[in-house]
Every structure is written in C-alpha cells, then in structure tokens.
C-alpha cells in the first residue's frame, strides 16, 4: 500500500466518523509531465495556491491545510493574493503568477468557464494543475479536481429548515450574484430537497445581495419588507449569512426568522453560539487541501495511479448542540495566513 493510499484511507475514515459520504467520479485527464520529479530536492518544490479571494476565512483555512500537509513532504506552499472575488481579478492574478513557474498550481476557480484559458496556460507550460474548492467544466489536462459537494451542502440546509418549520412556512434564498456554478449547486440542492420533501414550504425567488455583508443586509431588509411572512433565510455564502443575521437583528426578529448559511467563519460561529444563526453547512477546506497536497506529491513523484480525477467532499451540519463536538471543532474556520 502506497503512502497516498494510506492517507486517503485515513481521510475517508474521518469522514465516516462524521456520518458522511464521499462521491467520486472519473472525469479529468492526467496532466502532461512536469519538470519536477522524485529526484528533485523537496525543499525546492514550490506549490502556488490561488484562492477565490485572499484574506477570507474559508480560503485562509484552505491555505493552512495545504501548508501543514506540505511540510510532511518538505514542500513550500505560496499563498497568492487575490484582491476580489471575481473572475477578471482571478484571471489577472493567474496570468501574472505564471511567470514564477511554480512546480504545481492549486487553484480555487470562481467561474467554471472563464478561468479555463488562464489555467490552460499553466498546463501548456508543463505545470500540473489541481482545482480545489471549485471546478472547471472543461477538465482536459487537469491532474484532479477536489471540491465541496455543494449540492449535498444545500440539501442538509433544506432538511434542517424543513424540520425546524414542521413542513410549513416561507423561506428565502440569498446568493452573491448569478454565474457561480459552485453557489448555484448549493441553491439547487436546497430547492430540489424542499420541493421533494417539504412541499408545504414556499421557497421565494432567489435573491442576490452582492459580495459584502452591508449589501446583503440591505438586500434582506428589502426582502422582509416585500415578504414579511418569511420564516427562514438561507445564506448561500458567508457574506450572505452574516448579512441576513444583521438584517434580522435590525428588525427585531432574531429567533423568529431562522437563518442558515454555508461555511463556518469565526463570526458565523460566534453568531451560531449566540443564537443568531440556527444552522451552518460547513465545508472542509483544510481537508480538501490536504488531499490536494497528497495528490500533488503523488503526481510529482510519479505515483499517478493513486490519484482520483474527481472527488467531492461532503459538508457537515453544525448546530449549537454539536459545535463543541471534538469531531466538529477542527472543521471550523480561522482567519489569517
């Protein structure tokens, strides 16, 4: 049994303890050979990580997961600054960073189509690429794709709301903006589950609050004026959830209007413990990145048979009741790199 196989078994055992499942599908084509090899001094191997945006708890936590795992192999992970969560900014960063010629690229694409040309430049230059926390529609040449099972993450939010509302009521869904397949998968998982399992709950038309907490707070204030019957709000990202809790508090309905959100930033955890958020659908960015580093090592050392081309990592449902569970607390995000 190879080292990467042992690491994969350990990862799956951890997921099983949390009563989760991992879905995998073979969809990518192995990348062209890189100049890095098993004979290269590991201390000289540099792996770039380009996040969706830097200095956000999700991506900060992902980076630390990569850095910690890379130490086991003697590799260096470089956290590349991305100033805004949009495709144009991330494209510009990728194009500029290519000149540094890293040994491998880890990237969290914010768009599954428009990021492909910039990533293709790395592949064409012989630099292997693994996408983490986001995917591309065109997977040709990628080493692997590792991502959150966003559909499943949305599904567990719907199941939580369905039980909390006893199958009746009105719920709203808050997104950043149209166009992100990652977030839309969350919304689809939520909507499909509501329609199938809780037909007595009305789901309002999806709302878009932008990429800041204040803009989401304003969006929810408008939503509640138009739909005062709203019983629950699903924030599909950190900023959506934090904006929703702020708006609900501002109108004096904390505890009356339930709020659920993706992710587990320090602020979200604080709000959950304080009763302002009722449910968090928590991704596993550090675990995803640890697996990505294992795959990077396998690729660079020639053990490509150990790599699964596509892996989805399920979310964990976190509530006030289980947030201090030893199996849950390591999954909560922290800020800073």
């Amino acid at each position: 049994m190879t080292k990467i196989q042992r690491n994969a078994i350990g990862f799956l055992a951890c997921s099983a303890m949390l009563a989760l499942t991992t879905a995998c599908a073979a969809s990518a084509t192995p990348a062209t050979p890189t100049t890095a090899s098993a004979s290269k001094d590991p201390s000289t191997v540099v792996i770039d990580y380009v996040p969706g945006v830097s200095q956000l708890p999700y991506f900060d936590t992902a980076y630390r997961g990569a850095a910690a795992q890379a130490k086991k192999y003697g590799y260096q992970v470089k956290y590349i600054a991305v100033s805004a969560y949009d495709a144009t900014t991330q494209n510009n960063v990728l194009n500029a960073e290519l000149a540094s010629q890293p040994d491998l690229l880890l990237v969290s694409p914010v768009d599954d189509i428009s990021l492909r040309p910039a990533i293709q430049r790395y592949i064409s230059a012989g630099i292997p690429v693994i996408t983490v926390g986001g995917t591309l529609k065109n997977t040709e040449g990628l080493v692997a794709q590792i991502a959150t099972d966003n559909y499943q993450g949305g599904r567990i939010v719907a199941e939580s709301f369905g039980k909390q509302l006893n199958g009746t009521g009105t719920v709203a869904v808050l997104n950043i903006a149209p166009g992100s397949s990652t977030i839309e998968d969350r919304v689809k998982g939520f909507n499909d589950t509501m329609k199938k399992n809780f037909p007595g709950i009305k789901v309002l038309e999806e709302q878009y609050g932008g990429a800041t907490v204040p803009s989401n707070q304003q969006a929810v204030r408008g939503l509640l004026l138009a739909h005062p019957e709203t019983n629950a709000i699903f924030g599909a990202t950190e900023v959506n959830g934090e904006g929703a809790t702020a708006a609900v508090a501002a109108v004096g309905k904390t505890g009356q209007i339930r709020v659920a959100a993706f992710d587990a930033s320090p602020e979200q955890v604080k709000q959950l413990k304080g009763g302002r958020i009722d449910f968090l659908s928590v991704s596993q960015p550090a675990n995803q990145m640890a697996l990505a580093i294992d795959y990077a090592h396998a690729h660079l050392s020639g053990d490509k048979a150990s790599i699964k081309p596509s892996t989805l990592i399920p979310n964990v449902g976190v509530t006030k009741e289980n947030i201090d569970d030893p199996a849950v607390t390591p999954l909560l995000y922290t800020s800073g790199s």
Side-chain angles (χ1 to χ4, degrees):
M1 182 180 294
T2 67
K3 185 171 184 178
I4 182 64
Q5 288 171 328
R6 290 195 298 271
N7 287 342
I9 290 171
F11 175 82
L12 293 174
C14 176
S15 295
M17 179 179 66
L18 293 169
L20 303 172
T21 58
T22 300
C24 302
S27 60
T29 303
T32 54
T34 178
T35 55
S37 68
S39 61
K40 185 171 183 178
D41 180 356
S43 67
T44 67
V45 172
V46 177
I47 298 173
D48 276 3
Y49 173 46
V50 177
V53 61
S54 49
Q55 302 309 308
L56 188 76
Y58 174 90
F59 294 113
D60 292 350
T61 302
Y63 163 71
R64 281 193 298 278
Q69 192 71 1
K71 285 183 179 179
K72 298 180 181 180
Y73 301 111
Y75 301 157
Q76 174 189 347
V77 178
K78 186 164 64 169
Y79 194 19
I80 308 302
V82 180
S83 61
Y85 188 90
D86 67 77
T88 299
T89 301
Q90 195 177 41
N91 260 313
N92 291 340
V93 169
L94 282 165
N95 288 332
E97 183 60 21
L98 178 59
S100 72
Q101 291 289 299
D103 293 290
L104 186 137
L105 172 69
L106 302 178
V107 58
S108 300
V110 301
D111 185 280
D112 59 3
I113 296 175
S114 64
L115 269 298
R116 176 69 205 193
I119 291 171
Q120 180 60 46
R121 293 185 182 96
Y122 284 77
I123 297 171
S124 298
I127 299 169
V129 179
I130 299 174
T131 65
V132 191
T135 59
L136 296 176
K137 286 190 181 296
N138 179 357
T139 63
E140 184 178 359
L142 296 177
V143 173
Q145 296 205 108
I146 302 169
T148 298
D149 189 341
N150 287 289
Y151 187 93
Q152 175 265 351
R155 175 175 58 78
I156 63 175
V157 174
E159 290 170 347
S160 174
F161 273 170
K163 294 174 183 177
Q164 292 178 53
L165 299 177
N166 295 315
T168 62
T170 300
V171 301
V173 178
L174 193 63
N175 193 344
I176 291 178
S180 170
S181 62
T182 295
I183 303 174
E184 291 300 342
D185 282 348
R186 303 171 185 181
V187 175
K188 180 171 174 54
F190 179 85
N191 287 339
D192 287 353
T193 304
M194 278 293 186
K195 183 177 180 180
K196 179 180 179 181
N197 297 343
F198 307 103
I201 296 178
K202 179 182 179 180
V203 180
L204 299 173
E205 184 177 355
E206 185 176 359
Q207 303 289 308
Y208 298 100
T212 69
V213 172
S215 65
N216 278 274
Q217 181 177 358
Q218 183 177 357
V220 173
R221 290 290 291 270
L223 168 73
L224 295 179
L225 283 174
H227 298 280
E229 76 279 12
T230 300
N231 304 110
I233 301 170
F234 169 34
T237 72
E238 287 180 38
V239 294
N240 299 138
E242 291 179 19
T245 59
V248 169
V251 298
K253 291 194 174 182
T254 298
Q256 299 175 47
I257 298 177
R258 301 180 185 277
V259 178
F262 248 69
D263 297 317
S265 69
E267 180 61 26
Q268 287 174 302
V269 170
K270 179 181 176 181
Q271 291 176 348
L272 180 66
K273 291 182 175 180
R276 298 176 67 186
I277 286 182
D278 299 275
F279 184 87
L280 293 175
S281 184
V282 180
S283 303
Q284 303 186 53
N287 286 337
Q288 290 178 41
M289 290 294 275
L291 183 61
I293 293 295
D294 285 343
Y295 282 177
H297 177 69
H299 183 86
L300 296 175
S301 61
D303 185 19
K304 298 177 185 179
S306 299
I307 302 171
K308 292 182 178 179
S310 181
T311 304
L312 293 179
I313 307 299
N315 270 27
V316 179
V318 178
T319 65
K320 202 171 181 180
E321 286 68 38
N322 74 346
I323 195 166
D324 294 321
D325 188 311
V328 170
T329 51
L331 304 180
L332 306 179
Y333 310 167
T334 51
S335 299
S337 59

